[in-house]
Amino acid sequence: MRRRRFVTALAATPAANALLGQQPGRTDEASKLTTISPDAAALAVPRFFSAAQLGALKNLCQILLPSMNGNPGAAEAGAAEFLDFLIGVSPLERQTLYRKGLDTLEADAKRKYSKPFAELSAAEADPLLKPHLAQWTFDPPKDPMKHFLTAIRADVRTATMNSREWASAASSGSRRRRGGGGVGLYWHPVDPTRAL
Amino acid sequence: MAKKIYDVLIVGSGHSGGMAAHTLTEKGVSCLMLNAGPVADFEKDRTTKAAHELPYRGFGKPGEHPHIFQANEFNANTWVNEKEAPYSHDKDAPYNWVRVRLLGGRSLFWARQSFRLSDYEFKAADHDGFGDNWPIGLADLDPFYSRVEAQFKVVGRKEGWKQFPDGNFVSGPAGASADSECVKRLTAAAQKMGYGVSRMRAAMGDGGLASSVNLCLPGAVETGKLDIVPNAVVREIKIDRNTGKAAGVCFVERHSRREMEAYAKVVVLAAGTLESTRLLLNSGICNSSGALGRYLFDQQYGATVVAAMPEAMNGKARPGMIGGGVFIPRFQNLDQSRKLNFLRGYAMPMGTGSSPDAKYFPAYGAELQKLLDTYAGACIQGGIYGEVLPRKENHVRIHKTGRDAWGIPTLHIEARYSENERLMAQHAADTMEEMYKSAGFELLVKSTAVNPPGYSIHELGTARMGDNPKTSVLNRWNQSHDIKNIFVVDGASFVTGGWQNPTMTILALSMRASEYLAEQLKKGEL
């Protein structure tokens, strides 16, 4: 305790910088170095959905938003892998909506085609998906499958159109532009409250 | 340090607080402004980024802002963190309380739509028998509106309609550009139905910013009469037991949690409707009427109707065919001989030439893309700005156990929309559908849903003004009936709100109250 008090008092003295390590006067050098995002160098590791759910999710994402007009589709954008992360850190209600929705599609695929949803073609998936499409309303549909399909249609578009791959395609002169990959004015945390 | 006593202590720095500081300091009154949050630096605190550079690809951290539908990952750090500053509502009655605590508050981010209330709102009870009138009318506020409109550089087109009072407009884009063919057809269809069509009225401000931080506070600081303390979370108003008057406030320094007191001859609350009322409730004052916290209302923005102009579909739009907006102010229930099945009224803002949101089509894959291509740039999107009735049962109260990060008791909000709001939304959607069809447009989406209360970010009432101290909290000068040296100059003072964005009225009321306050101070009445 006495030692802790001593260290605290020491840190408050002007000489502390010399004792506590390097405190560079110039900080502009590091900011000039070019860095890349983790997605540009590595692959995300899915951790939330089961193997069957993830398989169904990957195929569903690709069916909902395939590559079109020179733009990457959900598969190229890693939308399913990103959603695995996003839903994994979402409130339980959202997690349940996705898990139950994917489980239902998997069960429907096995019942109708005797194979997992992950192996269905778009034409085979249509009869399983179209009955669950709902006209847009301000509040989400009460039917869980309609709610799920409404949510994932929007989420897949956002995950794809806000991806690094989409931004690269949008900025490429040889490809048809469809949005700028979600460029915006980002607000940093402004003097956030310090925990005591 | 010697005890410093200011003439006026202002809690809050948004439009209402900024205008109070501007008006008071101009008259030589010394002011202290306390703001709960920090000062934002528009250069340092903002960066242009691509969504894929953000941790959640633009989705935002899940669950971070459950009540703020306007939040996204780009602006997430500007809103009040609900974990630090929580509030509660009944599970079956959600309320979206959207707050900003940066210096300047919500004036940093508002949509700048600038309208006056009319006597259809000020004297609403005379007109339809519901609720109460304001103790003031348009004539009382007219000179203040004019000065505010000049200060905020409001543009608009004069119409001469009683329910849509003209302002002291500066020349600008709102009345300048030529109508597109689409707008002309929409206008003709509206006029055939008995609706007048105008243009949006908006504050141009300076460089597109019409905020307290650039239009009110700099001038006040320049006088040398204003001190601003950021990061001061006000706990309660301190009452002098000998005089029964306010002596200042107790506040908590946001980072250190140090408890402090500041002193003034007069306290002006401008913390935003519900924060000002929360402060009065937590102080246990200004409620001899029992009206404090009651008559909470806002405006409904839910109903949406989207259509497409057939001639502009499939990329066939040519210059002058589509684009621009129209604004249809309230035309309902103006003539009492033609009563509808709801009270009051709504306005309809409409934009043309947009592309549809993918969510509007129950489709996916190539089929969806084809639809998006077909309707790209050909859409007309209309919405509602609808009046919400001020009802006593919609209220806020202090939660029995809830505390924020600074140990200050939190609010419980209990507000529900009624059948009147639902019928109004239905009427608006039906009207827009009829208008679109009459103009020869193809209907794509029609939603009659009402949004959760609070969604419009126009919460009003809870410390309403009135001439009768038994039924109102404030008098006609935004001054407490109970404690004469307390003023509330934000939206809490509203008696009705109409459909109009309340900012111009808040600014005008704050200016008017502040001039009165300065006079009273001079006379030694406070």
Side-chain angles (χ1 to χ4, degrees):
Chain A
M1 188 64 191
R2 220 179 267 167
R3 176 178 158 75
R4 193 171 152 198
R5 233 180 264 144
F6 168 74
V7 172
T8 309
L10 183 66
T13 68
N17 282 352
L19 292 170
L20 297 178
Q22 183 176 243
Q23 299 288 321
R26 290 192 61 184
T27 56
D28 57 341
E29 295 303 326
S31 65
K32 287 178 188 166
L33 300 175
T34 303
T35 60
I36 58 171
S37 68
D39 291 275
L43 293 175
V45 180
R47 302 172 73 101
F48 177 70
F49 291 116
S50 69
Q53 288 168 340
L54 186 64
L57 178 64
K58 282 183 178 178
N59 196 27
L60 179 58
C61 286
Q62 185 56 12
I63 290 166
L64 294 177
L65 188 47
S67 173
M68 288 178 286
N69 303 327
N71 284 309
E76 292 80 11
E81 291 81 357
F82 179 77
L83 289 177
D84 176 274
F85 155 69
L86 186 77
I87 303 303
V89 295
S90 291
L92 181 64
E93 196 182 325
R94 191 81 166 169
Q95 294 180 339
T96 306
L97 180 77
Y98 260 75
R99 279 186 159 143
K100 285 192 172 173
L102 292 169
D103 288 346
T104 300
L105 290 181
E106 184 70 359
D108 289 351
K110 285 183 175 162
R111 193 177 308 117
K112 191 170 175 68
Y113 299 112
S114 302
K115 58 181 178 181
F117 188 87
E119 294 174 19
L120 299 189
S121 67
E124 287 173 324
D126 280 349
L128 304 185
L129 297 175
K130 291 205 165 168
H132 301 305
L133 289 172
Q135 186 70 48
W136 175 80
T137 50
F138 188 86
D139 295 312
K142 288 198 168 67
D143 175 81
M145 274 308 284
K146 286 183 175 169
H147 186 181
F148 167 63
L149 209 55
T150 299
I152 195 168
R153 283 195 307 126
D155 289 348
V156 168
R157 285 190 75 79
T158 304
T160 303
M161 296 176 75
N162 283 354
S163 68
R164 191 176 57 86
E165 291 74 12
W166 188 281
S168 300
S171 62
S172 161
S174 62
R175 293 181 177 179
R176 187 173 174 187
R177 280 173 176 270
R178 286 219 178 274
V183 173
L185 206 51
Y186 172 76
W187 277 87
H188 296 283
V190 183
D191 188 17
T193 307
R194 291 187 275 280
L196 294 177
Chain B
M1 174 189 159
K3 183 174 171 181
K4 188 168 182 180
I5 302 175
Y6 289 86
D7 289 332
V8 176
L9 189 157
I10 302 166
V11 182
S13 63
H15 279 126
S16 56
M19 181 55 79
H22 178 86
T23 308
L24 289 165
T25 54
E26 213 172 41
K27 294 191 174 297
V29 177
S30 71
C31 295
L32 170 66
M33 174 177 280
L34 301 180
N35 188 65
V39 182
D41 182 326
F42 276 49
E43 296 298 316
K44 274 169 54 187
D45 294 326
R46 301 186 307 176
T47 318
T48 300
K49 282 198 178 204
H52 66 83
E53 296 176 288
L54 304 175
Y56 300 93
R57 273 196 201 181
F59 281 89
K61 188 178 180 183
E64 188 178 24
H65 292 299
H67 293 99
I68 307 179
F69 296 176
Q70 296 85 353
N72 57 46
E73 197 164 355
F74 289 95
N75 64 26
N77 292 315
T78 61
W79 311 107
V80 163
N81 179 339
E82 270 187 43
K83 286 190 176 116
E84 277 184 4
Y87 68 98
S88 55
H89 54 71
D90 291 348
K91 201 174 178 185
D92 68 336
Y95 190 92
N96 291 9
W97 189 14
V98 182
R99 294 161 287 169
V100 173
R101 285 189 170 178
L102 301 174
L103 187 78
R106 291 178 291 192
S107 79
L108 298 171
F109 305 112
W110 71 302
R112 297 184 283 130
Q113 295 174 2
S114 301
F115 308 110
R116 294 179 173 204
L117 290 183
S118 75
D119 278 332
Y120 284 100
E121 287 79 37
F122 286 118
K123 304 298 174 192
D126 284 349
H127 194 65
D128 60 26
F130 179 87
D132 295 284
N133 290 330
W134 290 61
I136 58 175
L138 178 59
D140 297 298
L141 219 47
D142 174 76
F144 300 95
Y145 271 132
S146 289
R147 287 160 59 191
V148 168
E149 285 153 354
Q151 187 174 342
F152 277 69
K153 299 187 179 73
V154 175
V155 295
R157 193 168 76 188
K158 293 196 174 187
E159 305 290 0
W161 298 331
K162 194 182 165 196
Q163 84 279 21
F164 191 45
D166 293 329
N168 178 24
F169 301 138
V170 299
S171 59
S177 60
D179 286 344
S180 67
E181 190 184 315
C182 180
V183 165
K184 283 178 189 162
R185 274 163 60 176
L186 205 49
T187 302
Q191 286 170 341
K192 206 168 122 191
M193 293 170 68
Y195 288 81
V197 173
S198 187
R199 293 280 181 95
M200 183 53 77
R201 294 174 174 178
M204 294 294 101
D206 188 8
L209 184 67
S211 166
S212 166
V213 299
N214 69 327
L215 300 182
C216 297
L217 293 178
V221 170
E222 257 179 44
T223 64
K225 289 285 182 182
L226 175 65
D227 289 338
I228 301 173
V229 176
N231 304 313
V233 187
V234 179
R235 178 188 294 285
E236 64 181 344
I237 296 170
K238 196 173 164 58
I239 301 298
D240 182 326
R241 285 184 187 172
N242 296 321
T243 63
K245 295 201 310 190
V249 303
C250 309
F251 70 90
V252 189
E253 199 284 323
R254 184 168 66 94
H255 292 300
S256 65
R257 269 75 160 175
R258 189 159 58 131
E259 297 276 348
M260 307 197 77
E261 288 182 356
Y263 308 96
K265 294 173 192 162
V266 180
V267 171
V268 169
L269 298 186
T273 295
L274 296 184
E275 288 289 10
S276 289
T277 294
R278 176 186 173 208
L279 193 44
L280 291 174
L281 287 168
N282 273 332
S283 306
I285 54 174
C286 301
N287 196 20
S288 65
S289 64
L292 182 64
R294 297 204 165 269
Y295 302 99
L296 169 63
F297 55 96
D298 63 345
Q299 287 154 353
Q300 58 157 323
Y301 275 17
T304 301
V305 186
V306 183
M309 183 183 189
E311 296 84 346
M313 284 158 52
N314 296 302
K316 289 180 185 163
R318 51 178 169 68
M321 180 185 277
I322 191 166
V326 299
F327 190 78
I328 302 174
R330 172 183 167 183
F331 271 88
Q332 311 81 33
N333 291 321
L334 300 179
D335 174 359
Q336 286 303 293
S337 65
R338 292 173 59 205
K339 281 187 181 173
L340 300 168
N341 64 350
F342 60 91
L343 294 172
R344 313 285 162 89
Y346 58 86
M348 293 175 284
M350 293 177 183
T352 78
S354 60
S355 295
D357 193 311
K359 71 185 178 187
Y360 292 148
F361 300 110
Y364 55 84
E367 183 189 355
L368 174 60
Q369 191 55 55
K370 194 177 172 194
L371 286 164
L372 292 173
D373 289 342
T374 299
Y375 292 102
C379 288
I380 300 101
Q381 179 143 350
I384 175 179
Y385 297 165
E387 177 159 357
V388 170
L389 294 178
R391 290 193 306 276
K392 192 175 183 180
E393 63 268 27
N394 286 337
H395 72 281
V396 297
R397 59 180 184 269
I398 297 300
H399 193 280
K400 282 180 184 164
T401 57
R403 298 289 182 274
D404 67 15
W406 301 275
I408 302 171
T410 59
L411 272 190
H412 184 82
I413 305 174
E414 196 169 318
R416 291 174 175 81
Y417 285 159
S418 70
E419 194 61 10
N420 198 71
E421 284 77 42
R422 284 183 272 279
L423 289 169
M424 187 187 288
Q426 179 71 52
H427 189 273
D430 290 346
T431 301
M432 284 186 268
E433 178 183 2
E434 191 181 341
M435 206 175 282
Y436 293 164
K437 285 182 173 170
S438 170
F441 302 151
E442 176 190 331
L443 190 73
L444 293 179
V445 172
K446 179 183 177 186
S447 170
T448 60
V450 292
N451 51 257
Y455 168 79
S456 62
I457 325 184
H458 291 169
E459 67 272 13
L460 298 165
T462 68
R464 66 179 190 168
M465 59 162 65
D467 285 333
N468 185 350
K470 290 181 179 167
T471 58
S472 57
V473 179
L474 308 171
N475 67 16
R476 59 176 54 217
W477 300 104
N478 294 67
Q479 180 182 29
S480 163
H481 284 300
D482 295 353
I483 302 176
K484 296 296 177 195
N485 69 337
I486 293 178
F487 290 73
V488 182
V489 297
D490 56 30
S493 64
F494 277 45
V495 182
T496 65
W499 54 266
Q500 295 93 329
N501 179 310
T503 304
M504 285 294 118
T505 305
I506 289 171
L507 283 162
L509 285 171
S510 179
M511 181 187 275
R512 178 175 176 270
S514 300
E515 291 199 347
Y516 171 79
L517 189 167
E519 275 172 34
Q520 295 294 301
L521 259 181
K522 205 172 168 185
K523 288 180 192 167
E525 302 278 335
L526 294 172

